[in-house]
Amino acid sequence: MNWALIGTSTIAGQYMIGAIRSHAGADITWVQSSSAARAKAFSDAQGIASSTSDLTEVLTDPDLDAVYISSTNEKHFAQSMAAIEAGKHVLCEKPLATDIDQAITMVRAAETAGVTFATNHHLRCAGSHRAMREIIQSGRIGRVLSLRLFHAVELPTHLRGWRLDDPKAGGGVIADLTVHNADVARFLLDEDPQTIVAQSCVSGLGQGVEDSAMSVWSIPSGTMVFSHESFTHPHAGSGIEVHGTKGSVIAKGVFAQDPTGTVTVIAQDAQETISFSLHSLYVEVIRDFCNCVASGKTPSASGWDGVKSMIIADTVKRAADTGVAQTVDFRGAP
Ligand code: NDP
């Protein structure tokens, strides 16, 4: 499968190039950037055959199969639509867009064109998250009463750009991290929230966008969900707690790009450390994506999953901005 990188991003350089190249038969043949010079420098540094600032040049390559879009968020819509129109498969970064209607349009267009469209919600591919989901589904901790998600970290210095000062590019901790928490909650519980209350604040880094948020969601089964995201917490550590009528699952350090962290089950007064697969999350994202292209199956994080995580994050934002509980409107998303 021949891939093009759309965007000379940090995540492409740090993770996705290696993940794509680790698959037999996969190659990266193009990199496109809004800057021709940046595309050239990136292709030279990463050993990619062709570079350009012209997306059409990439998409008219008949040997190209798929694009990985990791530009800033406001560019995802136009780039995805162009790729879909050209018949290319799309792996798009979260959040899928800066506008929910645009995200829905992207996903519907991919369905109509018959191309695979996936959202890079990589945490679904983590061994730790899969182990937690299996424990919940096995009934071992009983009926789930509450889920607490902590994704409060310190934004690394090299990422302190558009995330902190550019709402049009999708900046702010809600667009950046709440979408991940939303997808993790949906993945673990197999349910969608109905109403949300929230608060957000600028607590040190944000310039015109929020850098911390807390929200509480109600879901149909009665489980309560608490979600905390921040760019300003150097020592909080990330984690997930799932509390059931018969036991709890406590996971630490599992909101990560690498296969890190611990998962512990406490049930019937005994504590057990759970072992889980330590495979690369992003290699697994690409493996899943390639399988879906070959088989026509739905990716582990589909386009609709990306739409729903955006809708939940948007509802958190509205709840925080208004101080009023908000109903989550999934706009018919399946
Ligand atoms: P970066 O800030 O590193 O890059 C984003 C875009 O900015 C690049 O694609 C590039 O676009 C442009 N750019 C790069 N360097 C410069 C520069 N020197 N001056 C101006 N523009 C520049 O973004 P991230 O890698 O942090 O994030 C990219 C996307 O990936 C986002 O959508 C983000 O939400 C998502 N993400 C997802 C993660 C996950 O695990 N799923 C983790 C991290 C990010 P261009 O070359 O087209 O100009």
Side-chain angles (χ1 to χ4, degrees):
M1 186 185 289
N2 287 330
W3 288 79
L5 305 180
I6 311 299
T8 55
S9 66
T10 306
I11 181 166
Q14 280 186 335
Y15 289 98
M16 299 307 287
I17 290 174
I20 293 170
R21 285 181 173 155
S22 74
H23 285 269
D27 194 12
I28 302 168
T29 50
W30 286 95
V31 56
Q32 186 271 350
S33 167
S34 59
S35 149
R38 199 157 53 236
K40 176 77 171 67
F42 198 87
S43 70
D44 288 348
Q46 300 289 350
I48 298 169
S50 306
S51 68
T52 181
S53 59
D54 180 359
L55 184 59
T56 307
E57 192 183 358
V58 177
L59 297 177
T60 49
D61 177 352
D63 293 328
L64 184 76
D65 301 296
V67 298
Y68 166 60
I69 297 176
S70 65
S71 50
T72 45
N73 306 326
E74 84 285 9
K75 293 181 186 159
H76 295 176
F77 173 65
Q79 292 168 338
S80 291
M81 292 302 286
I84 292 164
E85 204 170 302
K88 311 301 182 189
H89 305 289
V90 178
L91 172 59
C92 185
E93 270 305 343
K94 45 54 63 173
L96 288 185
T98 48
D99 177 278
I100 293 163
D101 287 334
Q102 289 186 341
I104 291 172
T105 302
M106 288 153 68
V107 176
R108 289 215 172 110
E111 284 179 346
T112 304
V115 297
T116 297
F117 186 101
T119 310
N120 196 10
H121 275 313
H122 65 299
L123 292 163
R124 284 180 183 242
C125 289
S128 54
H129 289 240
R130 288 177 174 174
M132 280 184 274
R133 180 177 150 96
E134 274 171 29
I135 292 163
I136 294 166
Q137 291 189 340
S138 73
R140 186 171 169 192
I141 63 165
R143 182 169 58 82
V144 177
L145 302 169
S146 62
L147 168 66
R148 302 201 285 190
L149 306 154
F150 316 112
H151 202 160
V153 295
E154 183 172 48
L155 189 66
T157 312
H158 68 278
L159 296 182
R160 293 184 187 182
W162 55 271
R163 278 180 175 81
L164 296 177
D165 63 8
D166 194 349
K168 287 203 185 86
V173 79
I174 294 176
D176 199 46
L177 297 186
T178 306
V179 287
H180 276 314
N181 283 18
D183 191 63
V184 167
R186 293 187 60 248
F187 178 64
L188 292 179
L189 300 178
D190 265 338
E191 275 193 282
D192 293 325
Q194 289 173 311
T195 50
I196 293 178
V197 293
Q199 287 197 356
S200 68
C201 69
V202 180
S203 59
L205 287 177
Q207 299 151 38
V209 296
E210 79 290 336
D211 57 25
S212 288
M214 289 187 177
S215 54
V216 177
W217 319 347
S218 64
I219 58 178
S221 62
T223 301
M224 293 183 75
V225 178
F226 166 74
S227 185
H228 178 201
E229 305 85 25
S230 181
F231 286 152
T232 63
H233 286 44
H235 306 298
S238 75
I240 299 174
E241 296 178 3
V242 196
H243 300 289
T245 50
K246 293 196 227 162
S248 295
V249 185
I250 310 288
K252 293 186 177 163
V254 293
F255 280 109
Q257 294 183 286
D258 295 306
T260 55
T262 58
V263 178
T264 306
V265 174
I266 305 165
Q268 294 171 334
D269 294 332
Q271 186 165 313
E272 183 192 349
T273 302
I274 304 295
S275 61
F276 53 85
S277 170
L278 295 175
H279 58 260
S280 157
L281 283 61
Y282 298 105
V283 168
E284 179 64 8
V285 166
I286 299 296
R287 188 196 66 75
D288 176 71
F289 185 88
C290 294
N291 276 351
C292 291
V293 168
S295 66
K297 286 188 184 158
T298 303
S300 68
S302 68
W304 289 116
D305 291 318
V307 167
K308 286 192 167 184
S309 69
M310 268 187 77
I311 288 175
I312 294 167
D314 180 68
T315 311
V316 168
K317 177 108 179 74
R318 275 189 293 114
D321 288 349
T322 59
V324 175
Q326 300 288 318
T327 302
V328 188
D329 177 3
F330 285 107
R331 306 189 192 188

